[in-house]
Amino acid sequence: MKKRGKGIAAAFYPTGMAGGGDFTNAIVKIKPDGGADVIMGSVELGQGVSTVLCQMAAEVLGIPYEKCQVSQQ
């Protein structure tokens, strides 16, 4: 007899000292060569935030992913 079911998962990953998570932001600077620098206000801890921010900026700006660079401040 096969058992079948439905499931759902949800996660909330707060960071910082605010209890509910600290918000962050990013600044995008366009370079003269047509590339972009994304300066983010959070620290990359292996979640892939740098990659995702660069992908989003490249898609919105219409530039290749390779021309996007992320730095943490």
Side-chain angles (χ1 to χ4, degrees):
M1 178 172 159
K2 284 189 177 181
K3 294 184 180 182
R4 297 182 184 199
K6 294 181 181 180
I8 188 170
F12 178 66
Y13 187 73
T15 59
M17 301 298 287
D22 292 332
F23 296 99
T24 188
N25 54 29
I27 298 171
V28 179
K29 293 185 177 181
I30 307 299
K31 299 191 284 189
D33 67 353
D37 288 331
V38 179
I39 303 164
M40 64 180 189
S42 61
V43 178
E44 170 70 65
L45 297 174
Q47 309 96 319
V49 174
S50 296
T51 302
V52 171
L53 281 176
C54 198
Q55 288 172 337
M56 289 179 1
E59 183 178 338
V60 169
L61 296 172
I63 62 173
Y65 172 78
E66 294 77 25
K67 288 195 148 215
C68 183
Q69 196 169 26
V70 176
S71 64
Q72 301 170 14
Q73 297 281 322

